[in-house]
Amino acid sequence: MTFFEIFNKVLLELNYRAVSVFEDIYKNEHKKILDAINRVNEEVLSSFEWDFLLKKAFLEKVDPENSEDTAKRTINGRILQVYQGEKRLSYCPPTKLGEKICRSTSFSGDFYSVIETPEGVHLLVPDEKRRMQQTKILQQGALDGSLSANSNPDKLFTVMYASKDYVIKANGEYAEKMTEGDDVSTIPMPWAEHILLYGACLKVKANPAYPKFGFWNTMYIQALANLRQKSPSAAEDEPFIKIT
């Protein structure tokens, strides 16, 4: 369900008149509703390690000799695991890098670090001269994806991360916030509709004394609980056996 469709459902739930064209939205009350939908989307997706936000990226070291290399170097998300081939690398905080490098007498280089910037997270890995080197992204996508580009496996790093791209644009690209009428949340349907609809209504009114407040709250909590139940992470909290 698109951003515009959710917006109109919120209007009707609040007993307001629906809008026919997304570009005609100009009232402050309307903009308040759009902001509420985005805030609910961000709060829900950032509150739990949802399986549908887990992504994989393939990276390789940036050639320090090539100053014209403009390949993407940041990951918009939280890095969970890093592998070089089949070897899992350990994380070293940036503040401990000097100590880590000095103590590595044989210097296996089996660790990584990160730099967080407004654009995203840079993955840093050591080179043979014990210098931390940036990486560039070759390919990224679903967790079960495989690398299609040609690359040297010894220089390849596989990164598992929790994405902060909470929106899918009409052209298939990802973004953090919904800005266009045809944008959609990464929350799967059918849960996205009720979570965003009733969550936005709760934020817009924000008054427990409002006649529909209790109903909205119940529907929102139920939709969120159903989504969590479908998540593999949540299944560990409440395991069950299905006999067929």
Side-chain angles (χ1 to χ4, degrees), residues 16-85:
Y16 295 157
R17 183 180 298 176
V19 176
S20 57
V21 182
F22 184 78
E23 287 70 19
D24 290 345
I25 296 174
Y26 66 92
K27 294 181 179 180
N28 288 335
E29 189 68 18
H30 288 170
K31 293 179 180 179
K32 182 179 178 181
I33 293 172
L34 294 177
D35 179 66
I37 296 172
N38 264 314
R39 283 190 291 135
V40 171
N41 190 57
E42 182 178 358
E43 288 172 7
V44 168
L45 291 173
S46 63
S47 66
F48 191 72
E49 292 187 0
W50 304 107
D51 63 298
F52 50 83
L53 289 180
L54 298 180
K55 305 289 183 182
K56 178 192 290 186
F58 298 99
L59 298 86
E60 67 178 3
K61 294 179 183 177
V62 172
D63 183 0
E65 303 292 329
N66 185 4
S67 60
E68 298 180 355
D69 190 349
T70 59
K72 184 178 179 183
R73 303 185 186 185
T74 59
I75 291 175
N76 189 26
R78 181 168 57 87
I79 294 178
L80 304 174
Q81 300 172 14
V82 177
Y83 293 85
Q84 184 174 17

Side-chain angles (χ1 to χ4, degrees), residues 83-109:
Y83 293 85
Q84 184 174 17
E86 296 184 355
K87 178 177 64 176
R88 181 174 178 177
L89 308 185
S90 59
Y91 170 66
C92 179
T95 55
K96 299 287 186 179
L97 275 178
E99 180 183 347
K100 176 75 174 179
I101 292 175
C102 291
R103 288 166 61 182
S104 300
T105 53
S106 60
F107 199 69
S108 59

